[in-house]
């Protein structure tokens, strides 16, 4: 049943009359937001209130025919609900009504008890914006919208600053009373289960009369000016921007909101309806392409998606510039809008950007840390790397170097030695005195369990710890590191390096429990009973695959994975005689090189692939050959020769081809071309497999045919909603950097999962970095500079030691190598979509982006806003009418030309 008086109140606040053309009806959000929390009796006194005219209970009582006492009671209830303001003025409570936005919509949603009880309040706030937004699209001039972006103050320091109304500090200094509340926009999103991962708590600051109202009605807590400044600073550190209600007159406001582009309803005006003029500040971003290094920090933090990575290096054929349509003289309907703006953000122009960042699985800002290293800013370089990769010292030793394969410099002479630069930068992190420990951003405190202490699990734990979660890592082995420790020999990755980088997680508060086999010693349900709210399974592919040929059960035969684990646990172990390693991948090379170090007098590798097809990295193949390991290509095992239960050799058959015409693995053999090779040891390294034990028994987790977990491709959520996965458990065996990248994405999902009302996908950045067309580059005129190289400390003793004898660049070499970088990419600004918030300037370490003043619009007088907007909209309508025939004529002549 419709509450008639409440419906009347909805019309009154809307400043329309029932029965009129624009009347508010029961299906409208203005009624829906009042209906659950306002009674007809409350509405009756509310109808006696006026917009921004203060009235006491006595004045209202005289108008509504109720006693002063009853009127006071009902007015107070109305204020607590959020349907009117109340302040103490001259010793009396004075009440008034406000605008819907900014005003009652936020006030109603910010009643914490009511929004939890009535989630439809959030939906009504959302619907209100969706109704009003299309009408405003293109029709509001700069500075005349109900909310307005105010730049981060340090982004306009210096010559560009003109007016004090553009400074956050001005509003903080003008007020004597402050409160902080939840963000009403994000609270509404959360109520609809559409949260973007930016949480609502203690986000928005109220000033003056609004602060008094929020404190007295319990929707905000009182804070000091110093606390308000700290909240502002924390918001900026976390990539949030500021906006203010723009309806209080020139140089005045009653709140400072700390907003994100994916949750804020004000920012939706810009991002969904492509209508930035309605919210923008007087500033726009400007990039100095010479200084920009395409690290992507500004791009990923831009709330309006106005920044994208593009190309700086010259092309043979000019890239045509895409002309942006503007709303000033054309219709601005749904064909110009972006309804999916919360899920379809682009990070790169269609024409692409730096290949190194695009090809790195973690999309590290490689150009950025190379530039910082060139400037000697090694700590800043380390900080930039660790935003995407917590283990640069590890990856500096074992990375597959996809970035170097893609490096543009390689089309001139040799690729930049990116990995060696990263290794040099990371060396200081191994020293506890100079170690970079990131700041913990929040204190959420939820308990999260990570199963498996390999690169994916450790990466997930690292990023969750930075967010302030209580993370416990459970590891079956007695030592941490997973396949980093047990699958990569110490001569490639010394264990002290792993330990040093894991120590940082310990300093961040991550707890480790080793020797615990989850599934056997304790179950996931046991952990749930202990208060763990989410799980990240990253146990790694720690079992070796067998060949499926006769004789594999003989003594002296082992899988390569088991062999490497045994060597890692006991480097004093010995094997004697001739060793055959079957396999042609990186692990097989590691197995062969380890066998030479534990006593094998002769080591040979046999693999199906020819030399060009071998999956092992070329560098590793060369290192094996340097250590006198013989590689026999295009041979596959037929059977293992056994005498008295022991291996004595292998019979091989010639492999004719490895792949079929569709490039699928389908080896064919010449069965008549065989040979027998005697051996004392056979180590099989033809792949790795998952060993789940009892971990997922009784759960809803489903496995693929290859025994990896079925999970969502974006969120990594499994069949158990509170269980996420990554690394080998999800993809099968890959490189450490792949697992590290998945660990961070897992942490993002878990953060969203454990916080009520957050979507796993909405507002999530799609880091789809793409490389530019290298065939169209103009690389003439670049000097050829030799790539710097490291040398082994003692090459003669390499096969006798498990020490990593590879050297590290000197500081002089770093200077010379970083000079070779071409600086391929740079950020590009869409000036129309830029709202001038300044977030980009706070993220740039290179002074490459700044705000410049483009507009000069002060906050309007409230009484003038409506007429200002009407005049602007009418002039725009005239321009559109004039432009339409011009466009028709232009189209006609363009058609004539093409014909």
């Amino acid at each position: 049943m419709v509450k008639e008086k409440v419906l009347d109140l909805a019309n009154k606040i809307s400043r329309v009359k029932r029965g009129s053309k624009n009347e508010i009806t029961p299906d409208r959000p203005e009624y829906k937001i009042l209906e659950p929390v306002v009674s007809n009796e409350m509405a009756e006194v509310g109808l006696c209130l006026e917009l921004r005219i203060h009235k006491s209970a006595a004045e209202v009582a005289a108008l509504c025919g109720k006693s002063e006492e009853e009127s006071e009671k009902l007015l107070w209830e109305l204020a607590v609900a959020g349907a009117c303001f109340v302040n103490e003025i001259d010793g009396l409570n004075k009440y008034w009504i406000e605008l819907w936005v900014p005003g009652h919509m936020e006030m109603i949603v910010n009643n914490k008890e009511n929004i939890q009880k009535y989630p439809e309040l959030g939906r009504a706030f959302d619907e209100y914006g969706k109704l009003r937004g299309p009408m405003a699209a293109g029709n509001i001039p700069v500075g005349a919208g109900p909310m307005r972006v105010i730049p981060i103050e340090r982004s306009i320091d210096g010559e560009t600053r003109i007016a004090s109304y553009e400074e956050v500090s001005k509003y903080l200094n003008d007020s004597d009373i402050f409160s902080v509340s939840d963000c009403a926009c994000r609270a509404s999103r959360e109520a609809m289960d559409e949260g973007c991962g930016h949480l609502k708590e203690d986000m928005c600051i109220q000033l003056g009369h609004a602060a008094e109202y929020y404190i007295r009605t319990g929707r905000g807590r009182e804070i000091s000016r110093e606390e308000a400044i700290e909240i502002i600073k924390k918001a900026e550190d976390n990539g949030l921007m500021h906006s203010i209600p723009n309806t209080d007159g020139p140089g005045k406001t009653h709140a400072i909101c700390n907003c994100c582009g994916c949750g804020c309803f004000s920012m939706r005006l810009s991002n969904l309806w492509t209508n930035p003029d309605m919210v923008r500040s007087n500033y726009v971003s400007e990039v100095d392409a010479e200084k920009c290094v395409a690290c992507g920090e500004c791009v990923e933090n831009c709330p309006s998606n106005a920044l994208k990575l593009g190309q700086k290096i010259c092309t043979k054929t000019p890239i045509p510039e895409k002309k942006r349509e503007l709303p000033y003289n054309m219709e601005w309907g749904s064909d110009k809008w972006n309804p999916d703006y919360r899920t379809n953000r682009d990070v790169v122009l269609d024409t692409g950007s730096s290949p190194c960042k695009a090809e790195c699985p973690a999309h590290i800002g490689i150009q950025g840390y190379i530039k910082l290293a060139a400037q000697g800013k090694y700590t800043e370089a380390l900080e930039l790397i660790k935003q995407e990769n917590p283990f640069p010292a590890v990856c500096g030793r074992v990375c597959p170097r996809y970035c170097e394969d893609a490096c543009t410099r390689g089309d001139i002479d040799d690729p930049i030695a990116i990995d060696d630069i990263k290794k040099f930068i990371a060396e200081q992190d191994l020293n506890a005195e100079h170690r970079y420990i990131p700041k913990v951003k929040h204190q959420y405190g939820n308990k999260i369990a990570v199963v498996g202490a390999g690169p994916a699990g450790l990466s997930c734990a690292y990023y969750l710890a930075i967010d302030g979660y209580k993370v416990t890592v459970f590891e079956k082995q007695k030592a941490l590191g997973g396949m980093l420790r047990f699958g990569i020999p110490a001569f490639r990755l010394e264990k002290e390096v792993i330990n040093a980088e894991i120590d940082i997680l310990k300093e961040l508060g991550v707890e480790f429990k080793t020797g615990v086999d989850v599934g056997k010693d304790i179950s996931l349900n046991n952990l749930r009973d202990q208060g763990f709210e989410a799980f990240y399974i990253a146990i790694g592919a720690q079992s070796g695959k067998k060949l499926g040929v006769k004789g594999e059960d003989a003594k002296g035969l082992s899988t390569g994975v088991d062999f490497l684990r045994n060597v890692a646990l006991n480097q004093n172990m010995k094997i004697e005689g001739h060793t055959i390693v079957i396999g042609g991948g990186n692990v097989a090379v590691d197995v062969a090189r380890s066998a030479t170090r534990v006593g094998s007098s002769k080591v040979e590798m046999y693999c199906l692939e020819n030399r060009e097809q071998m999956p092992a990295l070329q560098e590793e193949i060369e290192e094996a050959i340097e250590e006198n390991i013989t590689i026999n290509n295009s041979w596959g095992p037929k059977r293992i020769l056994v005498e008295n239960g022991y291996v004595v050799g292998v019979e091989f058959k010639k492999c004719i081809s490895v792949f079929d015409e569709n490039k699928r693995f389908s080896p064919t053999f010449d069965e008549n071309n065989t040979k027998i090779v005697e051996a004392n040891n056979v180590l099989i390294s033809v792949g790795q497999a998952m060993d789940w034990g009892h971990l997922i028994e009784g759960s809803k987790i489903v496995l693929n045919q290859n025994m990896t977990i079925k999970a969502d491709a974006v969120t990594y959520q499994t069949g158990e909603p509170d269980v996420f996965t990554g690394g080998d458990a999800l993809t099968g065996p890959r490189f450490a950097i792949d697992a590290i990248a998945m660990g961070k994405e897992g942490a993002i999902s878990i953060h969203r999962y454990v916080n009520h009302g957050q979507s796993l996908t909405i507002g999530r950045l799609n880091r789809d970095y793409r490389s530019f067309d290298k065939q169209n580059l103009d690389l003439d005129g670049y000097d050829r500079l030799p790539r710097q190289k490291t040398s082994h400390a003692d090459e003669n003793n390499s096969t006798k030691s498990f020490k990593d004898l590879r050297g590290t660049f000197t500081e002089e070499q770093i200077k010379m190598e970083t000079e070779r970088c071409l600086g391929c990419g740079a950020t590009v600004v869409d000036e129309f979509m830029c709202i001038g918030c300044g977030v980009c300037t706070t993220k740039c370490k290179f002074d490459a982006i700044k705000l410049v003043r483009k507009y000069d619009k002060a906050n309007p007088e409230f009484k003038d806003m409506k007429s200002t907007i009407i005049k602007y909209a009418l002039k725009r309508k005239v321009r559109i009418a004039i432009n339409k025939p011009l466009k028709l004529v232009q189209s006609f002549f363009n058609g004539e030309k093409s014909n």
Side-chain angles (χ1 to χ4, degrees):
M1 183 181 292
V2 174
K3 297 178 181 177
E4 294 295 336
K5 293 294 182 183
V6 175
L7 186 57
D8 287 339
L9 182 60
N11 278 275
K12 183 178 182 71
I13 295 172
S14 304
R15 292 177 286 167
V16 296
K17 292 181 179 179
R18 290 190 68 175
S20 68
K21 178 185 172 184
N22 298 319
E23 76 165 317
I24 304 303
T25 51
D27 60 335
R28 292 268 303 209
E30 296 93 331
Y31 173 75
K32 289 179 183 178
I33 202 164
L34 294 177
E35 193 275 336
V37 295
V38 177
S39 66
N40 276 324
E41 291 75 16
M42 292 160 64
E44 219 173 327
V45 296
L47 287 166
C48 299
L49 298 176
E50 301 297 334
L51 176 67
R52 298 187 177 180
I53 297 174
H54 306 160
K55 290 184 180 180
S56 66
E59 291 172 299
V60 169
L63 293 169
C64 69
K66 298 183 186 292
S67 69
E68 183 177 338
E69 184 180 5
E70 186 181 4
S71 295
E72 183 77 62
K73 175 179 174 293
L74 290 169
L75 285 165
W76 179 255
E77 289 174 0
L78 201 66
V80 170
C84 75
F85 255 108
V86 62
N87 270 191
E88 185 179 320
I89 301 172
D90 299 328
L92 289 174
N93 281 339
K94 296 289 182 80
Y95 300 89
W96 68 95
I97 56 175
E98 254 298 341
L99 306 173
W100 281 118
V101 173
H104 292 300
M105 291 281 173
E106 292 94 336
M107 291 156 62
I108 291 170
V109 167
N110 270 329
N111 183 310
K112 295 184 183 183
E113 184 180 333
N114 282 345
I115 189 64
Q116 288 179 2
K117 191 174 179 182
Y118 306 109
E120 60 265 35
L121 299 176
R123 195 169 293 110
F125 188 8
D126 174 59
E127 287 176 8
Y128 179 81
K130 286 177 177 174
L131 278 176
R132 309 288 289 189
M135 293 186 281
N139 287 319
I140 312 292
V142 174
M147 296 288 294
R148 192 175 190 191
V149 171
I150 184 166
I152 291 174
E153 194 160 322
R154 65 181 184 271
S155 71
I156 55 170
D157 282 342
E159 294 178 5
T160 58
R161 184 189 297 183
I162 293 178
S164 62
Y165 66 79
E166 293 163 338
E167 302 168 8
V168 171
S169 60
K170 176 245 188 302
Y171 299 105
L172 293 176
N173 291 331
D174 283 354
S175 182
D176 293 321
I177 180 170
F178 307 87
S179 65
V180 64
S181 72
D182 293 351
C183 168
C185 300
R186 276 172 261 174
S188 298
R189 300 281 199 186
E190 182 183 291
M192 298 185 290
D193 292 325
E194 291 183 6
C196 60
H198 293 104
L199 301 189
K200 67 182 187 301
E201 284 75 17
D202 283 0
M203 270 295 121
C204 293
I205 296 168
Q206 295 78 39
L207 313 169
H209 75 273
E212 180 189 330
Y213 166 75
Y214 266 64
I215 293 162
R216 289 187 65 194
T217 58
R219 40 186 34 84
R221 63 180 175 86
E222 185 170 7
I223 58 173
S224 66
R225 181 180 284 107
E226 291 70 31
E227 286 175 296
I229 292 168
E230 279 304 306
I231 291 168
I232 293 284
K233 185 177 182 302
K234 184 178 178 182
E236 292 173 1
D237 288 345
N238 283 282
L240 300 178
M241 49 166 279
H242 313 307
S243 62
I244 58 172
N246 196 37
T247 56
D248 295 315
K252 297 177 183 176
T253 195
H254 62 267
I256 301 171
C257 301
N258 296 310
C259 310
C260 62
C262 40
C264 174
F265 289 150
S266 173
M267 280 302 299
R268 178 170 63 182
L269 295 166
S270 169
N271 295 344
L272 193 159
W273 291 289
T274 323
N275 190 25
D277 282 357
M278 192 168 175
V279 297
R280 70 165 78 252
S281 77
N282 283 322
Y283 295 83
V284 294
S285 295
E286 182 178 273
V287 172
D288 183 336
E290 287 304 308
K291 292 181 179 178
C292 182
V293 294
C295 67
E297 291 301 300
C298 61
V299 171
E300 296 197 4
N301 284 279
C302 176
S304 62
N305 202 199
L307 306 177
K308 297 179 181 67
L309 290 189
Q311 184 169 336
K312 182 160 60 175
I313 200 164
C314 294
T315 58
K316 296 173 186 173
T317 306
I319 299 171
E321 194 173 331
K322 215 172 184 179
K323 192 174 180 184
R324 170 169 269 295
E325 293 182 314
L326 299 171
Y328 307 122
N329 58 2
M330 65 188 304
E331 300 288 356
W332 209 245
S334 58
D335 59 319
K336 306 292 190 296
W337 302 344
N338 184 12
D340 299 322
Y341 75 96
R342 302 180 77 200
T343 55
N344 67 2
R345 280 174 58 99
D346 287 323
V347 291
V348 67
L349 296 177
D350 292 341
T351 50
S353 188
S354 307
C356 55
K357 185 175 179 73
E359 297 307 316
C360 172
H363 302 303
I364 301 170
I366 293 168
Q367 243 183 273
Y369 74 70
I370 288 176
K371 174 63 80 174
L372 289 166
Q375 297 170 345
K377 297 177 180 178
Y378 304 125
T379 302
E380 290 93 331
L382 194 60
E383 181 183 355
L384 182 59
I385 294 169
K386 286 200 166 192
Q387 291 196 22
E388 310 302 338
N389 177 5
F391 311 118
V394 166
C395 286
R397 290 158 170 81
V398 300
C399 193
R401 307 182 185 186
Y402 299 131
C403 53
E404 293 188 20
D405 290 342
C407 178
T408 310
R409 182 86 211 188
D411 294 334
I412 298 172
D413 38 44
D414 291 312
I416 307 295
I418 296 169
D419 223 37
D420 284 311
I421 294 171
K422 179 171 63 198
K423 183 181 177 183
F424 175 89
I425 293 166
E427 282 299 301
Q428 65 182 309
D429 214 32
L430 303 182
N431 185 334
E433 290 180 19
H434 306 293
R435 192 164 288 164
Y436 167 70
I437 310 290
K439 289 180 182 177
V440 175
K441 298 177 183 176
H442 310 283
Q443 291 296 333
Y444 295 133
N446 311 61
K447 290 174 69 176
I448 313 296
V450 174
V451 183
L458 293 173
S459 173
C460 183
Y462 175 88
Y463 290 109
L464 286 170
I466 290 174
D467 251 351
Y469 290 101
K470 293 179 70 175
V471 185
T472 303
V473 179
F474 296 88
E475 170 56 49
K476 182 168 71 171
Q477 301 293 338
K478 293 292 184 184
L480 304 170
M483 294 303 285
L484 295 175
R485 183 178 297 276
F486 299 111
I488 300 176
F491 56 80
R492 288 185 58 219
L493 179 58
E494 290 185 321
K495 307 317 167 193
E496 293 78 7
V497 174
I498 302 170
N499 294 339
E501 298 212 289
I502 290 175
D503 283 345
I504 293 172
L505 275 75
K506 293 176 180 176
E507 294 206 36
L508 288 169
V510 176
E511 184 181 356
F512 292 94
K513 293 190 176 182
T514 56
V516 178
D517 186 348
V518 178
K520 179 182 176 184
D521 301 324
I522 191 169
S523 69
L524 293 179
N525 280 333
N526 295 148
L527 293 173
R528 289 184 180 104
D529 292 341
Q530 293 177 21
F532 287 94
E533 296 180 39
F535 303 86
Y536 187 71
I537 293 180
I539 63 170
Q542 297 194 20
S543 295
K545 288 184 177 179
K546 291 290 189 75
L547 296 167
V549 300
K550 187 177 177 182
E552 278 191 284
D553 296 330
K555 292 178 181 177
L557 183 145
S558 169
T559 66
V561 172
D562 290 338
F563 173 73
L564 289 175
R565 184 183 300 111
N566 291 335
V567 171
L569 292 168
N570 177 21
Q571 288 186 6
N572 294 321
M573 71 172 285
K574 295 292 179 185
I575 61 173
E576 297 178 350
H578 182 193
T579 299
I580 289 176
V581 177
I582 299 175
N586 293 308
V587 176
V589 173
D590 286 344
V591 169
R593 295 180 68 198
S594 295
T596 67
R597 286 163 172 76
V598 295
S600 185
S601 57
K602 181 181 179 183
V603 179
E604 290 188 89
M605 291 177 62
Y606 284 83
C607 63
L608 297 174
E609 300 88 355
N610 62 38
R611 183 63 58 85
E612 289 72 31
Q613 294 171 326
M614 282 181 71
L617 297 174
Q618 184 61 34
E619 178 187 350
E620 296 211 29
I621 294 170
E622 289 169 2
E623 287 175 343
I625 293 170
E626 285 172 9
E627 294 182 2
N628 297 317
I629 294 166
T630 304
I631 300 176
N632 299 277
N633 295 99
S634 302
W635 289 98
K638 186 173 183 179
R639 64 189 174 107
I640 309 298
L641 305 178
V642 182
E643 288 183 8
N644 300 320
Y646 285 88
V647 165
V648 294
V650 181
E651 183 179 3
F652 289 98
K653 53 188 175 181
K654 190 68 175 176
C655 181
I656 300 169
S657 64
V658 179
F659 303 102
D660 65 16
E661 58 201 22
N662 296 316
K663 297 186 178 179
R664 291 175 300 198
F665 182 74
S666 180
T668 56
F669 299 94
D670 180 354
E671 298 289 345
N672 297 317
N673 188 353
T674 64
K675 67 176 178 179
I676 290 175
V677 182
E678 294 181 356
N680 305 94
N681 314 285
V682 175
L683 303 174
I684 300 169
S685 187
V686 293
Q688 294 159 244
M690 302 300 302
D691 179 5
W692 289 105
H694 302 287
L695 174 57
I696 59 175
E697 283 182 5
S699 75
K700 296 175 184 174
I701 294 171
V702 178
L703 298 179
N704 295 301
Q705 274 191 317
N706 65 354
M707 300 302 285
T708 58
I709 290 180
K710 277 190 177 180
D712 184 89
V714 173
T715 67
Y716 303 158
Q717 188 176 39
T718 71
E720 289 282 357
D722 61 349
V723 177
F724 299 80
T725 189
D728 295 351
L730 178 65
T731 62
R734 284 195 189 174
F735 292 101
I737 188 63
D738 297 284
I740 287 165
M742 286 185 274
K744 182 174 182 181
E745 289 299 322
I748 291 169
S749 290
I750 288 170
H751 160 70
R752 288 163 171 259
Y753 175 78
V754 299
N755 285 287
H756 170 70
Q758 305 305 308
S759 162
L760 293 183
T761 55
I762 290 174
R764 189 175 189 135
L765 190 66
N766 177 21
R767 306 183 78 223
D768 183 23
Y769 289 99
R770 299 180 301 281
S771 174
F772 48 58
D773 177 11
K774 291 175 75 175
Q775 302 303 312
N776 191 32
L777 299 182
D778 181 3
L779 299 177
D780 293 339
Y782 286 98
D783 291 335
R784 280 164 170 70
L785 299 171
R787 172 178 166 130
Q788 297 297 303
K789 294 183 179 178
T790 60
S791 60
H792 283 62
D794 186 355
E795 294 184 8
N796 294 326
N797 293 320
S798 63
T799 59
K800 299 174 184 176
S801 172
F802 273 94
K803 284 193 172 296
D804 186 351
L805 301 176
R806 295 170 295 177
T808 303
F809 277 167
T810 65
E811 194 158 10
E812 185 60 33
Q813 283 183 299
I814 284 291
K815 289 177 182 175
M816 295 173 72
E817 188 61 22
T818 53
E819 281 180 11
R820 299 179 65 239
C821 179
L822 302 178
C824 299
T827 296
V828 178
V829 182
D830 180 343
E831 195 176 283
F832 173 67
M833 284 305 297
C834 176
I835 51 166
C837 65
V839 167
C840 54
T841 68
T842 69
K843 298 301 174 183
C844 182
K845 298 178 184 295
F846 306 93
D847 193 30
I849 191 165
K850 63 182 179 181
L851 290 188
V852 294
R853 191 179 180 88
K854 182 178 179 181
Y855 306 96
D856 188 22
K857 301 293 182 181
N859 307 32
E861 290 284 359
F862 176 65
K863 62 182 177 61
D864 297 331
M865 286 183 76
K866 188 174 181 180
S867 61
T868 299
I869 292 168
I870 289 172
K871 286 176 188 174
Y872 180 85
L874 287 173
K875 286 180 180 178
R876 175 174 172 264
K877 204 167 184 179
V878 171
R879 287 197 300 270
I880 292 170
I882 294 170
N883 192 49
K884 273 184 179 176
L886 289 175
K887 285 187 78 174
L888 285 170
V889 171
Q890 199 172 32
S891 300
F892 173 78
F893 281 109
N894 286 341
E896 288 272 302
K897 279 183 184 178
S898 64
N899 291 332

